[in-house]
């Protein structure tokens, strides 16, 4: 592990700094090109009026030179032609206006280009580079526990660095070593229920954390394998009045007038596990129910019957059809209702019957009720079910 992680760390560092050098060179080249373009623009815009002024002066000098030669010729000629030549020379000289010159800008108004380069950039970069990157010998958080759930895994982690103050955690998983890791949770809780897990398949998990007030994530924990052997909970298909999700773990009460109890596909709830319902609420009714039962029974419109325990959407708890005095808070949208059961056996138990007692704990909105459920038969596994009188209710089971 030490050699593999050291090799991997070297590769990451070399690749990161190689990318960083390439990016810095690209940025410096782009900045140099931009500054050189600024020099070209200023030079072209500033030299144009000076070039035009120079052309006017050169043209005036050339004209004056021609006129001077013409004057010399008029003076040197014979007497008969002098008067005519001098007259033409005088008219031409007055027309040319030799005392007129274009306006020449003063020297202080003429641009003089220079480059201002602040050497403090190197100091800033040096300080930042020397603080860039760290090497950690141990990640501050590690995976601690995998708890099998039907069609899911409850993943727990803990911090192993006492000086590290976590702000957020980030959990990733992948199904095979050839596939990339995917984010499955980012938040402040030290555990997360990962759903949609295929049973009897190894999944690889890793977790990291972000320190309080920091932007960067810590190094990843050592990857670990998690799996579940429990098949996922599924609702029964084909019952009019309910629509199911593609994985059949979400049931939606639709607009159909038909009513009845929607049961699980199979008795997949076992004592010692936690059964969780999470719902979106609709219009409540006193006959609504969420719970577990010994057997499926067609024709009932609620689990408020014998061989079943359930909670109504208004918080009433029913055991074998009888309402208990203790109640739970009314079901709210997004809240969870959980069932936990353990076996307490009274007397001999056989397939033919016998006294059989389950200790049941139902929790909702930070409240719970605990009671004993006495049955006349042994139950290794139970069905779960729900019933709603009005549309709009949606229930996720896991």
């Amino acid at each position: 592990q030490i050699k593999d992680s050291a090799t991997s760390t070297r590769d990451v560092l070399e690749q990161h700094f190689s990318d960083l050098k390439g990016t810095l060179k690209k940025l410096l080249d782009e900045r140099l090109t931009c500054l050189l373009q600024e020099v070209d623009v200023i030079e072209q815009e500033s030299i144009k009026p000076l070039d035009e002024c120079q052309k006017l002066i050169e043209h005036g000098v050339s004209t004056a030179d021609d006129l001077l030669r013409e004057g010399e010729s008029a003076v040197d000629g014979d007497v008969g032609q002098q008067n005519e030549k001098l007259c033409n020379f005088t008219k031409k000289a007055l027309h040319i206006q030799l005392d007129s010159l274009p306006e020449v800008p003063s020297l202080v108004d003429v641009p003089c280009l220079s480059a201002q380069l602040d050497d403090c950039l190197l100091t800033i970069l040096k300080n930042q580079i020397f603080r860039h990157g760290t090497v950690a010998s141990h990640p501050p958080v590690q995976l601690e526990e995998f708890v099998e759930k039907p069609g899911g895994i409850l993943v727990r982690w803990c911090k192993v660095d006492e000086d590290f103050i976590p702000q957020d955690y980030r959990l990733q998983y992948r199904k095979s070593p050839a596939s990339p890791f995917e984010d499955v949770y980012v938040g402040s809780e030290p555990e997360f229920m990962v759903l949609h897990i295929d049973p009897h398949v190894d999944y690889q998990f890793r977790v990291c954390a972000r320190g309080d007030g920091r932007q960067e994530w810590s190094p990843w924990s050592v990857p670990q394998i998690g799996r579940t052997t429990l098949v996922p909970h599924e609702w029964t298909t084909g019952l009019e009045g309910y629509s199911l999700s593609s994985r059949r773990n979400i049931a939606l009460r639709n607009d159909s007038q038909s009513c009845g109890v929607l049961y699980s596909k199979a008795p997949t709830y076992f004592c010692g596990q936690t059964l969780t319902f999470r719902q979106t609420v609709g219009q409540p009714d006193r006959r609504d129910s969420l719970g577990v039962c010994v057997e499926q029974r067609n024709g009932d419109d609620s689990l408020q019957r014998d061989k079943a325990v359930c909670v109504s959407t208004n918080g009433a708890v029913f055991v074998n059809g009888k309402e208990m005095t203790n109640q739970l808070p009314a079901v709210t949208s997004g809240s969870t209702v959980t069932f936990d059961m353990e076996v307490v056996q009274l007397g001999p138990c056989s397939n033919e019957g016998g006294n059989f007692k389950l200790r049941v704990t139902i929790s909702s909105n930070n409240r719970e009720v605990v009671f004993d459920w006495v049955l006349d038969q042994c139950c290794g596994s139970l069905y779960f079910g729900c019933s709603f009188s009005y549309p709009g209710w949606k229930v996720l089971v896991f």
Side-chain angles (χ1 to χ4, degrees), residues 299-329:
D300 294 325
D301 62 353
S302 176
L303 283 175
Q304 299 172 18
R305 60 169 175 82
D306 63 333
K307 295 187 179 181
V309 295
C310 67
V311 58
S312 177
T313 52
N314 62 8
V317 178
F318 292 85
V319 181
N320 290 330
K322 296 180 180 180
E323 183 175 356
M324 296 182 59
T325 56
N326 293 335
Q327 281 200 337
L328 292 168

Side-chain angles (χ1 to χ4, degrees), residues 155-319:
V155 184
R156 294 192 176 107
W157 53 87
C158 63
K159 69 172 188 173
V160 293
D161 183 353
E162 293 299 326
D163 297 329
F164 183 78
I165 302 176
Q167 174 180 297
D168 291 306
Y169 299 103
R170 182 181 179 189
L171 178 67
Q172 290 189 336
Y173 80 133
R174 63 182 179 184
K175 193 172 182 178
S176 67
S179 59
F181 278 99
E182 299 178 20
D183 283 343
V184 68
Y185 173 75
V186 176
S188 58
E189 297 297 324
E191 65 178 32
F192 183 73
M193 169 71 78
V194 184
L195 298 176
H196 310 320
I197 295 293
D198 296 328
H200 306 290
V201 174
D202 288 341
Y203 288 80
Q204 198 172 47
F205 293 86
R206 66 181 185 181
V207 68
C208 66
R210 180 161 49 197
D212 190 22
R214 304 297 294 269
Q215 294 296 321
E216 71 277 7
W217 291 99
S218 73
W220 290 105
S221 66
V222 177
Q224 294 189 39
I225 299 297
R227 61 159 33 204
T228 182
T229 58
L230 306 175
V231 296
H233 292 317
E234 294 182 11
W235 298 104
T236 297
T237 59
L239 181 64
E240 187 179 358
Y242 291 90
S243 305
L244 305 183
S245 64
S246 59
R247 287 183 175 266
R248 297 179 293 280
N249 60 339
I250 299 176
L252 172 66
R253 180 68 167 94
N254 56 34
D255 296 333
S256 173
Q257 296 300 316
S258 175
C259 62
V261 177
L262 177 66
Y263 292 101
S264 58
K265 179 181 178 181
T268 53
Y269 175 62
F270 297 89
C271 292
Q273 298 177 0
T274 297
L275 179 69
T276 303
F277 298 99
R278 181 178 297 152
Q279 56 281 316
T280 300
V281 301
Q283 181 181 343
D285 184 86
R286 65 181 184 85
R287 295 291 293 168
D288 293 342
S289 59
L290 286 167
V292 296
C293 57
V294 175
E295 59 191 6
Q296 294 180 340
R297 202 162 72 185
N298 296 327
D300 294 325
D301 62 353
S302 176
L303 283 175
Q304 299 172 18
R305 60 169 175 82
D306 63 333
K307 295 187 179 181
V309 295
C310 67
V311 58
S312 177
T313 52
N314 62 8
V317 178
F318 292 85
V319 181

Side-chain angles (χ1 to χ4, degrees), residues 37-47 111 113:
Q37 288 175 348
E38 287 187 31
V39 172
D40 293 339
V41 170
I42 295 174
E43 181 185 26
Q44 292 172 7
E45 291 179 349
S46 302
I47 204 70
L113 279 71

